[in-house]
Structure formats: structure tokens, C-alpha cells
Amino acid sequence: MFENILVPVDGSEGSDRAVAEAISVAQTCGAKLNFLYVANINQLAINACLSDAILEAVSKAGNVILDRAMEMVPSGIEKEAFSETGSPAVVILDFAMNNPTDLIVMGSRGLGVVKGVLLGSVSQYIVEQAKCPVLVVK
């Protein structure tokens, strides 16, 4: 049924619950998990001048979050991690449209601006605009 599952992550509890749910679906369907971290550079630009140090810190935070998600996946499930910058809603939809994606599994709320954002408005936008099914985990 599902071969490729996109899981946007930001390190929040909701994101972790989405990872767990995506793993369960992947085990049932034999699907590949694609984890996507989106550094919300647009929000950061409002609050700070984007220096190389800020960009590096955001990138490191994203790598830690992606590594944690990847470590949660049991052996035998194919997985891959991706990191992007930009507006989370736009980047998630672009990724889903440009990569094989049968299902998007995401949390309903995320962390603050510095650690990456998946706000309720983002999940709502994805539900409305995605061309594939979306599972929002609370």
C-alpha cells in the first residue's frame, strides 16, 4: 500500500510520536522512511541577522534531530535522512512532490524557531495541499 513515507521531524514530542507511528506503518507495509528536517530560515531571518555561526548551529541541530529519528528505526526498515532550509510547509510539499511519497506522517505541533518549526498551521496546510494522504499525529 505505502512504499515511501515522508516524516518531517523537528525534535519535538509530537515529532517523536510521528516517527513512532511512521515506523509502525512502515513495518506493516514494508515501506521506506524518508526523514526531513526543515530549518525555518525565513523565521530566523526575522529575529536575527543570519551569520555563518547561526546557520551552522541550525544545521548541527538538524543533524542531531535526524540522527535521533534514524536511530529509532529498527533494522530491516529502509530509511534515509534529508535536511533542507526554507519555509517548512513549502519545503515539505516540494519534497513530497519531487520524491516518491505515498504518505506523509507528521506531528501536529513543533518546537520553537531555533530548533526548527512544524507548527499546527504547517500541518494544516500540508493536509490541505498534499497530493498524497497525510497522517497528523497528536
Side-chain angles (χ1 to χ4, degrees):
M1 176 154 125
F2 300 120
E3 293 180 16
N4 292 284
I5 300 172
L6 174 58
V7 189
V9 294
D10 70 354
S12 67
E13 288 181 24
S15 175
D16 289 347
R17 286 191 294 274
V19 169
E21 189 65 31
I23 290 168
S24 178
V25 174
Q27 286 174 318
T28 301
C29 300
K32 176 186 177 188
L33 296 173
N34 291 313
F35 296 108
L36 175 63
Y37 171 80
V38 181
N40 191 345
I41 298 302
N42 297 335
Q43 286 287 352
L44 288 172
I46 294 169
N47 298 317
C49 186
L50 289 178
S51 69
D52 287 341
I54 292 171
L55 291 173
E56 185 177 333
V58 170
S59 178
K60 283 183 182 178
N63 289 338
V64 168
I65 290 165
L66 286 167
D67 288 345
R68 192 173 83 211
M70 296 283 280
E71 289 170 4
M72 292 173 67
V73 180
S75 62
I77 297 177
E78 190 179 354
K79 62 191 182 238
E80 196 167 352
F82 301 89
S83 182
E84 302 284 342
T85 58
S87 172
V90 172
V91 172
I92 293 166
L93 284 177
D94 284 349
F95 187 95
M97 290 183 67
N98 295 315
N99 296 277
T101 303
D102 304 305
L103 174 67
I104 300 171
V105 179
M106 63 189 302
S108 61
R109 294 243 174 235
L111 292 173
V113 169
V114 175
K115 293 194 177 180
V117 177
L118 289 176
L119 295 175
S121 59
V122 173
S123 59
Q124 181 64 38
Y125 184 80
I126 300 299
V127 167
E128 292 171 358
Q129 300 297 320
K131 303 294 186 206
C132 65
V134 179
L135 173 59
V136 178
V137 179
K138 291 185 111 182

